[in-house]
Amino acid sequence: MERNRIIAVAGAGIGGLTAALALARAGFGVRLLERSETLSEAGAGIQISPNAGRVLALLGLDDAVARLSAEPAALEVRSGRSGRRIATLPFGPAFARRYGVPYRTIHRADLLDVLAGAAMAEADVDLKAGHAVSEFAIHARGLTIACETRAGMREVTAAALVAADGAGSLVRRMMPDGAARHPMGRTAWRAVISAEAAPPAMAHDRVGLWLGSGGHVVHYPVRGGREFNLVAVTPDPPAAAAQPAGFGDLMKRFRRWNRDVLAILAAPIDWRRWPITMVDPAAPWARGPVVLLGDAAHAMAPFLAQGGAMAMEDAYVLAQKLALQPDAPAAAFAAFERDRRPRVTRVWNAAHGTADLYHMGGPPAALRNAGMRLAGGGLLLRRYRWIFGWTPPAPVMQRAPTGSGTGIARTKRV
Ligand SMILES: Cc1cc2nc3c(=O)[nH]c(=O)nc-3n(C[C@H](O)[C@H](O)[C@H](O)COP(=O)(O)OP(=O)(O)OC[C@H]3O[C@@H](n4cnc5c(N)ncnc54)[C@H](O)[C@@H]3O)c2cc1C
C-alpha cells in the first residue's frame, strides 16, 4: 500500500473500529492503535437507532448485528413516582419499514465483537493493541505518531491521524484550541442482569423509561432477550462518582420512587457508576492531517442514546470524504468537519435538553406527563425523525471485504 494511503486511527472503540472498517473498504490501509491490550467494552448495553443501523448495514454487518441484538417493540415511558404509563412509542414493523432497519438494543461487547471481527478480517487493517498514542509530529509527508507500549516507545508513520480516543482524548488535548471535557454533574449507574433475575416490571419486549425528579431509569433487553441492560441516572457531582459506592447509595436516591422501580434497582448484584462528561462540539475537530471523531470530538449526554450513533455516522462520512480526496487529508478532514458539525451540534443540544425534560419534578412534571399523554406515542416518536432518518452518503468507493467476510468473528485478543 502506498504511504499516502496509510491512515492511523487512535482508539478501537465503536468510533475507531467503524472508521477502520469504513476506511479499509474505501481503499485505505489502517494502523489501528489501541491503548488496551485487549479490545473490550465495559459490560453494558447500547441502543442502535436506525441512523446508526444504516451505517452498519452499509458495512455489511446488518445480519451479524441482528443475530446478537434484541428488537424492542416499543419505548414505554412511565412515571417513576406513580408507576403510571405516560406514553408508548412504537418501534414495530411500521417503524422498521420507514427507516429501513429496526430499532435494536445490543450488549456493547457483542457490537464490538462484530465490528472488530469485520475490521480484522480486512487485510488492510493492522490492529496494534497495547499502543497508547502519546505524541505526534506533523511533517511534510504526514505524521509520526509516538506510542507507549509495554516494550517501550514505538513510532508509527501515516499520512493522517483519525483520533477516536474517546471523551478524554489525548489528541484533542494536544490540539492548541481543543475543547476541554466537562462534567455534566450527573452520574450514570450501569448494570447487566440475566432475564431470570429481572422483576416482572421489566417487560421483555420493550425499552422501559421511568422519569422522576432529578433522575431516570432505563432498561432494555440485550443478547436476544437473555439479558437486560439497566441504567439509572442520578444528580451526583463527579467527585462523588469517583468514590466507590454500592446499592445502598443508589437506593437512597430513589427511595421515594414506585416499588416497581425499586424492584428493578434491587435486581443487579453489581452496579458500576460513570460520571457523565461532555465535550463542546463547537471547538475545532480538524487540524491539518489530524481529525477527531466520536466522543473525542463531541461527547454528549446519553439521554437520546446517540453518542455511539454519532461516532458511527462520523466514521462513515469521514471515510467517504477521504475517498473523495485521498491525497489531501487536510482538505478532506475540513470538509468532514463542515459536513458533520451542524448535525452533531443539533443532536448534542437536543440530548442535553432532554435531561431537563426527563428530570422535572412537581407541577412541571405533571404538565409534561399530561402533554405526552395527549400527544401520544406516535406523535412523540415523529419528533425524532430528523435523528433516525439520517441517510449515510452514497459510497464514493466501497470494495467488498478482503478477508473472511463480515460474519461474527470473536474479537482478536492480542
Ligand atoms: C450511560 C451511557 C449510556 C449510553 N447509551 C448509548 C446508547 O444507547 N446509544 C448510543 O449510541 N450511545 C450511547 N452512549 C454513548 C456511547 O457510549 C459513546 O458515545 C461511544 O461509546 C463513543 O465511542 P468512541 O469510539 O468515540 O469512544 P470510546 O468508546 O470511549 O472509545 C475510545 C477508545 O480509545 C481508546 N484510547 C483512549 N486513549 C487512547 C490513546 N491515547 N491511544 C490509543 N487508544 C486510546 C480507549 O481505550 C477506547 O478503546 C451512552 C453513554 C453512556 C455514558
Side-chain angles (χ1 to χ4, degrees):
M1 173 94 38
E2 289 165 45
R3 197 186 158 110
N4 68 349
R5 284 251 158 191
I6 302 291
I7 310 297
V9 176
I14 293 168
L17 283 167
T18 311
L21 187 55
L23 286 165
R25 296 279 173 77
F28 295 93
V30 179
R31 305 280 180 271
L32 181 53
L33 311 170
E34 168 57 48
R35 75 174 165 197
S36 304
E37 294 290 337
T38 56
L39 301 191
S40 61
E41 268 276 353
I46 186 159
Q47 304 179 53
I48 306 180
S49 53
N51 44 318
R54 273 198 298 278
V55 171
L56 294 168
L58 266 174
L59 293 171
L61 303 178
D62 195 51
D63 288 347
V65 169
R67 276 199 291 280
L68 295 167
S69 319
E71 289 178 14
L75 165 68
E76 196 162 76
V77 188
R78 289 183 177 270
S79 156
R81 185 63 88 84
S82 70
R84 276 188 66 204
R85 196 171 63 80
I86 301 172
T88 303
L89 284 61
F91 289 151
F95 179 92
R97 267 197 310 279
R98 161 172 282 277
Y99 294 111
V101 280
Y103 198 95
R104 292 192 172 118
T105 53
I106 190 168
H107 197 290
R108 280 167 189 259
D110 292 341
L111 176 60
L112 221 66
D113 265 354
V114 171
L115 287 168
M120 275 177 275
E122 291 291 330
D124 293 329
V125 175
D126 176 13
L127 170 69
K128 293 182 182 301
H131 279 57
V133 170
S134 62
E135 267 183 284
F136 61 86
I138 300 173
H139 43 72
R141 283 166 294 117
L143 301 100
T144 302
I145 300 150
C147 300
E148 281 168 30
T149 75
R150 276 208 278 200
M153 293 303 281
R154 291 282 179 273
E155 285 191 348
V156 173
T157 52
L161 171 62
V162 175
D165 51 345
S169 172
L170 182 110
V171 176
R172 186 186 68 240
R173 282 180 278 139
M174 282 160 55
M175 289 167 77
D177 34 14
R181 167 165 68 159
H182 58 95
M184 198 194 182
R186 288 188 167 88
T187 293
W189 303 61
R190 296 159 112 178
V192 176
I193 58 168
S194 70
E196 293 81 57
M202 289 173 72
H204 283 234
D205 65 342
R206 51 202 58 207
V207 179
L209 170 62
W210 305 76
L211 305 180
S213 174
H216 71 274
V217 174
V218 182
H219 49 80
Y220 50 81
V222 293
R223 301 209 148 129
R226 295 189 308 283
E227 294 180 4
F228 276 93
N229 180 66
L230 279 87
V231 180
V233 173
T234 58
D236 290 299
Q243 314 293 320
F247 174 66
D249 291 307
L250 179 64
M251 288 315 250
K252 259 189 247 154
R253 287 149 179 88
F254 287 93
R255 64 176 183 275
R256 288 161 190 264
W257 288 48
N258 178 271
R259 63 170 182 223
D260 282 339
V261 180
L262 300 184
I264 289 167
L265 297 179
I269 295 168
D270 278 326
W271 281 97
R272 297 212 218 151
R273 38 196 277 182
W274 268 257
I276 296 175
T277 58
M278 302 190 301
V279 171
D280 187 344
W285 304 348
R287 190 179 182 89
V290 181
V291 70
L292 309 169
L293 67 71
D295 274 13
H298 46 65
M300 59 183 66
F303 309 138
L304 287 177
Q306 283 299 314
M310 289 303 114
M312 289 185 258
E313 287 187 9
D314 279 357
Y316 193 83
V317 172
L318 183 81
Q320 301 313 315
K321 295 289 183 201
L322 208 50
L324 277 170
Q325 316 188 60
D327 300 319
F333 292 167
F336 161 80
E337 182 175 348
R338 276 196 304 278
D339 181 313
R340 292 293 297 158
R341 190 191 300 284
R343 171 165 171 83
V344 169
T345 304
R346 190 173 171 204
V347 175
W348 196 97
N349 286 328
H352 195 252
T354 301
D356 298 333
L357 183 75
Y358 281 7
H359 298 168
M360 285 171 175
L367 266 177
R368 174 202 62 203
N369 296 354
M372 287 174 82
R373 282 197 184 98
L374 197 66
L379 195 66
L380 291 172
L381 198 56
R382 246 175 270 161
R383 292 179 53 217
Y384 300 111
R385 274 188 187 167
W386 66 275
I387 297 181
F388 299 158
W390 178 84
T391 312
V396 177
M397 164 180 167
Q398 181 152 311
R399 51 168 177 66
T402 57
S404 56
T406 54
I408 306 161
R410 299 303 300 174
T411 305
K412 201 191 278 177
R413 310 283 171 196
V414 209

